[in-house]
Amino acid sequence: MEKKETSRRDFLITGLLASVAAAGCTAKSPFTPEADQNVMPSGEKVKLLSVDGEIIEVDKAFLKPIPETHHVSNAEARKGIAGKKFVMVIDLSRCKNLKKCQEACNHAHFVPDAQNWIKVHPMQDAEHTAPYWQPTTCMHCDEPPCVKVCPVDATFKRQDGIVLIDSDRCIGCRFCMAGCPYSTRVFNWEEPTLPKEIAHQHYSCETSVPQKKGTVGKCDFCPDMVRKGELPHCVSACPNGVFFFGDMNEDSVTNGSETFRFSDLIRDKAGYRLMEDLGTKPSVYYLPPVNRNFKFEEGVKSEEELKKEKIKNN
Ligand code: SF4
Ligand code: SF4
């Protein structure tokens, strides 16, 4: 497997720095001198909210203004980005069930408390094989059964392959939930608890925020981040580099610090997709859980789960 010499790290660091001004930073902090050799720390610290909901301190010199992005209408959001075909690769050999992906996703999309759009399942292929963790997202199928059964065109596939939901159109019939073989969709039975400023926002297909009672939600591949040239929140948040994201047309995927030719990665590491025989043609590929050098630890809990347990027990 050939690692691309022209890493996208610089590009991604620029993007990550931009996002910090808006929403915090990632678990792999770029705020170190080696992140940008030309910037000298000023010694002045600024407090920011990370994607995990933690307060972090960074040197002011490493902040950069967010580039102006124009408002994306729902009509534009439905079209997607021309010339792109987005793809995700999940390396099962690296997953330790830290659930940082899930936390970042929930935080960014204000996913209701009882739900998760990213799930991490304990898996074991046979009695004598080692168990492993398998994160699942929406598979952003090229032949999505969910889209075919939606009676009101509320769920749709864009030209860049991303499958989204327009909550303004969704009538909550849940045909799509029945149609999805990956059980990735969740139904909003309750009005989600949202901060005031979010609750009053107009719904956007690009951010999937705010979610509404009586509609369906799911992983959206963070198209708003992708449009800005940044990585989906789960990719940036994973400290083990489990998630790779990229463009199939460019034949390139990255987890933010490593970049691979997509076709080489899938060929050399025997990548596969879930339930390929169904003909859904998922855009999410998995690398098998081989050569792991850490133990499978049952019951590892995320900080969010521990917080919820604490509240419950008090
Ligand atoms: S629940 Fe909403 S998105 Fe799903 S099939 Fe019904 S109308 Fe379409
Ligand atoms: S995984 Fe399910 S919800 Fe996602 S595109 Fe495929 S069928 Fe639709």
Side-chain angles (χ1 to χ4, degrees):
M1 180 171 52
E2 181 197 344
K3 199 167 167 178
K4 273 194 176 178
E5 278 181 20
T6 48
S7 164
R8 291 176 68 194
R9 187 171 175 77
D10 290 346
F11 162 75
L12 289 163
I13 284 171
T14 307
L16 289 168
L17 285 168
S19 70
V20 156
C25 78
T26 64
K28 277 182 229 154
S29 174
F31 305 107
T32 52
E34 62 270 23
D36 188 341
Q37 302 287 353
N38 300 321
V39 178
M40 290 303 293
S42 68
E44 195 181 339
K45 301 283 182 190
V46 177
K47 284 191 174 152
L48 295 167
L49 190 65
S50 78
V51 289
D52 301 333
E54 288 164 17
I55 303 288
I56 53 157
E57 275 198 352
V58 296
D59 194 287
K60 202 172 176 183
F62 294 113
L63 298 183
K64 286 184 184 174
I66 318 171
E68 279 290 316
T69 46
H70 77 287
H71 171 75
V72 178
S73 67
N74 272 358
E76 211 176 334
R78 284 185 79 101
K79 280 192 203 144
I81 306 171
K84 299 284 182 189
K85 173 68 182 79
F86 295 113
V87 69
M88 181 173 274
V89 179
I90 299 177
D91 187 348
L92 298 175
S93 69
R94 301 181 181 200
C95 183
K96 293 181 176 177
N97 187 33
L98 295 180
K99 295 203 180 119
K100 292 285 176 192
C101 52
Q102 193 183 71
E103 282 175 26
C105 173
N106 290 356
H107 182 70
H109 298 103
F110 300 91
V111 174
D113 280 349
Q115 298 178 357
N116 293 302
W117 289 357
I118 297 179
K119 297 172 189 97
V120 187
H121 303 284
M123 303 292 286
Q124 187 166 21
D125 295 338
E127 197 187 340
H128 300 296
T129 59
Y132 59 94
W133 294 106
Q134 178 180 276
T136 56
T137 63
C138 169
M139 301 292 145
H140 295 274
C141 307
D142 264 347
E143 296 290 342
C146 56
V147 170
K148 288 178 189 156
V149 297
C150 179
V152 292
D153 197 26
T155 194
F156 55 92
K157 188 183 128 193
R158 316 194 317 174
Q159 59 183 316
D160 53 22
I162 296 181
V163 175
L164 292 181
I165 301 166
D166 182 347
S167 281
D168 286 339
R169 293 183 74 108
C170 177
I171 56 170
C173 67
R174 290 179 281 151
F175 286 179
C176 57
M177 290 178 74
C180 171
Y182 303 98
S183 302
T184 194
R185 292 178 171 242
V186 287
F187 189 67
N188 292 312
W189 290 98
E190 307 287 342
E191 205 65 70
T193 316
L194 298 165
K196 247 188 207 163
E197 63 279 12
I198 301 297
H200 291 145
Q201 264 180 27
H202 187 70
Y203 175 79
S204 160
C205 292
E206 284 250 316
T207 59
S208 305
V209 170
Q211 287 289 291
K212 293 179 198 160
K213 182 180 176 181
T215 66
V216 165
K218 69 163 189 73
C219 149
D220 59 4
F221 263 11
C222 303
D224 54 326
M225 301 298 285
V226 173
R227 200 180 282 275
K228 288 189 279 186
E230 295 175 28
L231 292 169
H233 294 287
C234 53
V235 181
S236 318
C238 177
N240 299 324
V242 169
F243 295 86
F244 290 81
F245 188 80
D247 178 6
M248 215 181 226
N249 293 340
E250 283 180 12
D251 199 16
S252 168
V253 287
T254 181
N255 61 7
S257 49
E258 300 159 276
T259 301
F260 294 108
R261 201 181 291 279
F262 167 72
S263 53
D264 287 353
L265 195 60
I266 298 305
R267 188 194 56 227
D268 297 345
K269 291 209 166 181
Y272 61 93
R273 297 180 288 183
L274 300 184
M275 298 190 229
E276 291 207 51
D277 48 327
L278 295 181
T280 49
K281 301 185 182 157
S283 300
V284 177
Y285 290 73
Y286 285 88
L287 304 182
V290 293
N291 301 330
R292 280 170 293 154
N293 57 5
F294 54 87
K295 275 206 294 196
F296 175 89
E297 288 181 284
E298 186 90 57
V300 175
K301 291 197 171 136
S302 69
E303 282 166 28
E304 198 169 303
E305 282 173 317
L306 290 171
K307 259 189 238 161
K308 279 182 192 168
E309 265 183 21
K310 208 173 161 190
I311 294 167
K312 215 170 135 190
N313 295 333
N314 280 337

mmCIF file of all heavy atoms in Angstrom, residues 247-263:
data_model
loop_
_atom_site.group_PDB
_atom_site.id
_atom_site.type_symbol
_atom_site.label_atom_id
_atom_site.label_comp_id
_atom_site.label_asym_id
_atom_site.label_seq_id
_atom_site.Cartn_x
_atom_site.Cartn_y
_atom_site.Cartn_z
ATOM 1 N N ASP A 247 -12.752 11.382 -1.415
ATOM 2 C CA ASP A 247 -13.482 11.467 -2.674
ATOM 3 C C ASP A 247 -13.019 10.322 -3.577
ATOM 4 O O ASP A 247 -11.836 10.217 -3.893
ATOM 5 C CB ASP A 247 -13.162 12.838 -3.301
ATOM 6 C CG ASP A 247 -13.832 13.041 -4.646
ATOM 7 O OD1 ASP A 247 -14.643 12.178 -5.051
ATOM 8 O OD2 ASP A 247 -13.543 14.066 -5.283
ATOM 9 N N MET A 248 -13.967 9.491 -3.954
ATOM 10 C CA MET A 248 -13.638 8.342 -4.795
ATOM 11 C C MET A 248 -13.104 8.801 -6.156
ATOM 12 O O MET A 248 -12.257 8.153 -6.756
ATOM 13 C CB MET A 248 -14.899 7.516 -4.990
ATOM 14 C CG MET A 248 -14.649 6.046 -5.064
ATOM 15 S SD MET A 248 -16.232 5.264 -5.334
ATOM 16 C CE MET A 248 -16.155 3.972 -4.164
ATOM 17 N N ASN A 249 -13.597 9.936 -6.641
ATOM 18 C CA ASN A 249 -13.132 10.443 -7.937
ATOM 19 C C ASN A 249 -11.664 10.865 -7.876
ATOM 20 O O ASN A 249 -10.950 10.809 -8.867
ATOM 21 C CB ASN A 249 -13.987 11.623 -8.408
ATOM 22 C CG ASN A 249 -15.401 11.186 -8.725
ATOM 23 O OD1 ASN A 249 -15.650 9.997 -8.959
ATOM 24 N ND2 ASN A 249 -16.337 12.123 -8.723
ATOM 25 N N GLU A 250 -11.232 11.307 -6.687
ATOM 26 C CA GLU A 250 -9.807 11.660 -6.502
ATOM 27 C C GLU A 250 -9.010 10.441 -6.076
ATOM 28 O O GLU A 250 -7.783 10.506 -5.951
ATOM 29 C CB GLU A 250 -9.658 12.718 -5.398
ATOM 30 C CG GLU A 250 -10.012 14.110 -5.809
ATOM 31 C CD GLU A 250 -9.835 15.106 -4.658
ATOM 32 O OE1 GLU A 250 -9.231 14.760 -3.623
ATOM 33 O OE2 GLU A 250 -10.323 16.221 -4.803
ATOM 34 N N ASP A 251 -9.701 9.338 -5.759
ATOM 35 C CA ASP A 251 -9.078 8.104 -5.292
ATOM 36 C C ASP A 251 -8.227 8.363 -4.048
ATOM 37 O O ASP A 251 -7.086 7.881 -3.958
ATOM 38 C CB ASP A 251 -8.221 7.483 -6.409
ATOM 39 C CG ASP A 251 -7.935 6.007 -6.133
ATOM 40 O OD1 ASP A 251 -8.621 5.418 -5.276
ATOM 41 O OD2 ASP A 251 -7.010 5.457 -6.765
ATOM 42 N N SER A 252 -8.770 9.127 -3.133
ATOM 43 C CA SER A 252 -7.974 9.509 -1.970
ATOM 44 C C SER A 252 -8.845 9.574 -0.715
ATOM 45 O O SER A 252 -9.963 10.089 -0.759
ATOM 46 C CB SER A 252 -7.377 10.891 -2.266
ATOM 47 O OG SER A 252 -6.825 11.441 -1.108
ATOM 48 N N VAL A 253 -8.329 9.009 0.382
ATOM 49 C CA VAL A 253 -9.025 9.124 1.674
ATOM 50 C C VAL A 253 -8.018 9.505 2.751
ATOM 51 O O VAL A 253 -6.844 9.141 2.676
ATOM 52 C CB VAL A 253 -9.742 7.809 2.091
ATOM 53 C CG1 VAL A 253 -10.991 7.562 1.269
ATOM 54 C CG2 VAL A 253 -8.810 6.615 2.045
ATOM 55 N N THR A 254 -8.490 10.224 3.766
ATOM 56 C CA THR A 254 -7.604 10.655 4.848
ATOM 57 C C THR A 254 -8.322 10.599 6.179
ATOM 58 O O THR A 254 -9.550 10.750 6.230
ATOM 59 C CB THR A 254 -7.079 12.087 4.591
ATOM 60 O OG1 THR A 254 -6.197 12.456 5.650
ATOM 61 C CG2 THR A 254 -8.209 13.108 4.527
ATOM 62 N N ASN A 255 -7.537 10.377 7.244
ATOM 63 C CA ASN A 255 -8.112 10.488 8.591
ATOM 64 C C ASN A 255 -7.625 11.761 9.268
ATOM 65 O O ASN A 255 -7.772 11.941 10.460
ATOM 66 C CB ASN A 255 -7.793 9.250 9.443
ATOM 67 C CG ASN A 255 -6.300 9.052 9.644
ATOM 68 O OD1 ASN A 255 -5.493 9.903 9.260
ATOM 69 N ND2 ASN A 255 -5.929 7.927 10.222
ATOM 70 N N GLY A 256 -6.980 12.619 8.495
ATOM 71 C CA GLY A 256 -6.476 13.879 9.031
ATOM 72 C C GLY A 256 -4.977 13.867 9.206
ATOM 73 O O GLY A 256 -4.327 14.894 9.092
ATOM 74 N N SER A 257 -4.408 12.679 9.472
ATOM 75 C CA SER A 257 -2.950 12.636 9.591
ATOM 76 C C SER A 257 -2.326 11.644 8.612
ATOM 77 O O SER A 257 -1.141 11.731 8.323
ATOM 78 C CB SER A 257 -2.525 12.325 11.024
ATOM 79 O OG SER A 257 -3.215 11.227 11.508
ATOM 80 N N GLU A 258 -3.114 10.701 8.121
ATOM 81 C CA GLU A 258 -2.600 9.773 7.106
ATOM 82 C C GLU A 258 -3.517 9.851 5.884
ATOM 83 O O GLU A 258 -4.736 9.904 6.041
ATOM 84 C CB GLU A 258 -2.630 8.331 7.614
ATOM 85 C CG GLU A 258 -1.812 8.082 8.852
ATOM 86 C CD GLU A 258 -2.295 6.827 9.554
ATOM 87 O OE1 GLU A 258 -3.262 6.934 10.322
ATOM 88 O OE2 GLU A 258 -1.737 5.754 9.295
ATOM 89 N N THR A 259 -2.905 9.824 4.718
ATOM 90 C CA THR A 259 -3.694 9.867 3.483
ATOM 91 C C THR A 259 -3.300 8.678 2.614
ATOM 92 O O THR A 259 -2.112 8.383 2.470
ATOM 93 C CB THR A 259 -3.418 11.182 2.728
ATOM 94 O OG1 THR A 259 -3.771 12.274 3.583
ATOM 95 C CG2 THR A 259 -4.244 11.274 1.443
ATOM 96 N N PHE A 260 -4.292 7.989 2.092
ATOM 97 C CA PHE A 260 -4.029 6.822 1.253
ATOM 98 C C PHE A 260 -4.776 6.929 -0.062
ATOM 99 O O PHE A 260 -5.815 7.593 -0.145
ATOM 100 C CB PHE A 260 -4.499 5.540 1.956
ATOM 101 C CG PHE A 260 -3.713 5.213 3.196
ATOM 102 C CD1 PHE A 260 -4.275 5.371 4.451
ATOM 103 C CD2 PHE A 260 -2.410 4.743 3.112
ATOM 104 C CE1 PHE A 260 -3.560 5.072 5.598
ATOM 105 C CE2 PHE A 260 -1.681 4.440 4.253
ATOM 106 C CZ PHE A 260 -2.264 4.607 5.503
ATOM 107 N N ARG A 261 -4.233 6.225 -1.039
ATOM 108 C CA ARG A 261 -4.990 6.044 -2.278
ATOM 109 C C ARG A 261 -6.116 5.069 -1.920
ATOM 110 O O ARG A 261 -5.839 3.963 -1.437
ATOM 111 C CB ARG A 261 -4.073 5.446 -3.343
ATOM 112 C CG ARG A 261 -4.523 5.664 -4.754
ATOM 113 C CD ARG A 261 -3.575 5.008 -5.708
ATOM 114 N NE ARG A 261 -2.268 5.643 -5.777
ATOM 115 C CZ ARG A 261 -1.991 6.719 -6.483
ATOM 116 N NH1 ARG A 261 -2.925 7.302 -7.184
ATOM 117 N NH2 ARG A 261 -0.778 7.221 -6.500
ATOM 118 N N PHE A 262 -7.347 5.485 -2.138
ATOM 119 C CA PHE A 262 -8.509 4.685 -1.721
ATOM 120 C C PHE A 262 -8.461 3.269 -2.319
ATOM 121 O O PHE A 262 -8.619 2.281 -1.616
ATOM 122 C CB PHE A 262 -9.793 5.416 -2.142
ATOM 123 C CG PHE A 262 -11.028 4.578 -2.049
ATOM 124 C CD1 PHE A 262 -11.568 4.249 -0.812
ATOM 125 C CD2 PHE A 262 -11.645 4.093 -3.196
ATOM 126 C CE1 PHE A 262 -12.708 3.464 -0.726
ATOM 127 C CE2 PHE A 262 -12.775 3.302 -3.115
ATOM 128 C CZ PHE A 262 -13.315 2.982 -1.882
ATOM 129 N N SER A 263 -8.178 3.173 -3.618
ATOM 130 C CA SER A 263 -8.215 1.861 -4.275
ATOM 131 C C SER A 263 -7.124 0.932 -3.729
ATOM 132 O O SER A 263 -7.341 -0.269 -3.566
ATOM 133 C CB SER A 263 -8.082 2.014 -5.792
ATOM 134 O OG SER A 263 -6.939 2.791 -6.096
#
